[in-house]
Amino acid sequence: MQRLVDAFRARLNDNVAESAARIRRAKLPFYEGLTDAQLSATLARAFEAAAADVARGEPHALLQRMRDIAVVRSQRGVAVMDVVTGLNIGFQAVSDDLAALHPDDLELRLAWEQARAKIAYAGAAVLADTYLEAREAVVRAKSEALVQLSLRVLPLYPGVVVLPLLGELGAERAQQITEALLAAVAHHSASYALIDLSGVPTLDTDEAVQLLARATQAIELLGATPILVGIQPAVAQSMSTRGVSVRVPTLADLASGLRHALRGLGVELTSKR
């Protein structure tokens, strides 16, 4: 979406400055060793790479940046969690900025959150893999924590939360997702909870499939309506083969799911050109 690219680039310097301030407040050990100029330059390069990936529609430039960073910093003993946490802080600054400047432009904000989820997951995976190669088993115990940083429930509109999922959905991760989603539904008093499965290629265990089904039931017990969107053919086949019946709305994509939820709240989502 060109509007998102333009909005991202227009606020790049402001978001670099805000991200630097937030990282300073977080007192992450690695970033504490950088001067203000070095920190700003590091963030600016990361944001430029992210802007290129948003324009491209797929993670690429930032992934290469993450690989380079991982190789160098692993040799210096830098904690991988510091790197990923700093990236997450920067992305959150962009989310907050878009929410403040474009509170009613849900299409723009949704496009960013979809891009953010894709880039964050791929970036965390690349960092973990590269650190493993550079330092062997140093990061293996932390790999699940890295993936967890890419798991976030987005309160996109009052009464609506969205959980975009990416990658393999094993039983352990499905349990984490269920817990995070239920907590978000309760915290935001959500009426609708959208689970975007478009980035999940398959459900690889019976337990993962059953957990997803139970998650939708638990959401209903909290008084909210779960909506599954973007189910891939392999996921649908897995659920059918395992005899799992999900009696909740299922829609083709996230935009359709959001429109469905907003109509339930009496709100119409219109595009801004």
Side-chain angles (χ1 to χ4, degrees):
M1 177 191 285
Q2 188 58 45
R3 288 198 306 119
L4 175 58
V5 176
D6 293 342
F8 188 97
R9 290 192 180 280
R11 297 287 296 170
L12 192 147
N13 290 337
D14 297 275
N15 283 322
V16 165
E18 175 61 23
S19 299
R22 294 186 182 191
I23 287 173
R24 287 298 190 214
R25 290 196 293 271
K27 298 186 181 300
L28 300 174
F30 167 69
Y31 295 100
E32 289 281 274
L34 298 180
T35 66
D36 289 344
Q38 289 172 329
L39 176 58
S40 294
T42 296
L43 291 172
R45 287 192 291 270
F47 273 55
E48 286 287 357
D53 287 346
V54 170
R56 183 188 182 96
E58 292 290 336
H60 177 73
L62 188 60
L63 299 192
Q64 185 56 54
R65 177 76 184 147
M66 291 294 98
R67 288 188 188 95
D68 295 342
I69 288 173
V71 170
V72 173
R73 295 180 186 177
S74 65
Q75 294 170 350
R76 298 177 183 174
V78 175
V80 64
M81 293 301 295
D82 282 2
V83 180
V84 180
T85 301
L87 181 65
N88 198 52
I89 288 173
F91 281 172
Q92 186 59 45
V94 176
S95 294
D96 293 344
D97 189 61
L98 288 173
L101 295 178
H102 308 280
D104 299 321
D105 195 343
L106 301 184
E107 186 179 50
L108 180 70
R109 292 169 56 200
L110 180 59
W112 161 246
E113 294 302 334
Q114 289 177 299
R116 170 182 173 165
K118 186 181 295 186
I119 294 171
Y121 182 87
V126 163
L127 274 170
D129 288 346
T130 306
Y131 263 73
L132 282 170
E133 292 171 4
R135 303 182 67 196
E136 300 182 345
V138 173
V139 188
R140 190 175 299 276
K142 297 182 179 179
S143 60
E144 184 57 37
L146 290 174
V147 173
Q148 186 68 14
L149 279 175
S150 71
L151 170 62
R152 58 190 303 271
V153 182
L154 169 69
L156 189 60
Y157 189 87
V160 181
V161 295
V162 179
L163 174 61
L165 297 176
L166 289 159
E168 298 295 334
L169 190 60
E172 183 177 356
R173 188 164 179 242
Q175 181 63 41
Q176 293 173 335
I177 286 166
T178 299
E179 294 171 357
L181 188 54
L182 293 180
V185 168
H187 178 73
H188 296 288
S189 301
S191 298
Y192 293 89
L194 279 66
I195 304 174
D196 182 10
L197 296 167
S198 60
V200 177
T202 186
L203 297 179
D204 58 3
T205 67
D206 288 343
E207 188 177 0
V209 174
Q210 294 292 341
L211 277 170
L212 181 61
R214 288 200 293 271
T216 62
Q217 295 168 359
I219 290 169
E220 290 178 317
L221 289 175
L222 291 179
T225 299
I227 301 175
L228 299 181
V229 301
I231 296 179
Q232 298 298 302
V235 173
Q237 184 174 2
S238 293
M239 297 176 73
S240 177
T241 300
R242 291 171 169 85
V244 175
S245 177
V246 180
R247 296 184 296 274
V248 301
T250 57
L251 294 166
D253 53 41
L254 187 53
S256 299
L258 180 59
R259 290 190 180 92
H260 180 91
L262 291 178
R263 279 196 297 270
L265 296 174
V267 178
E268 285 297 327
L269 177 60
T270 56
S271 297
K272 295 186 178 182
R273 303 296 180 192

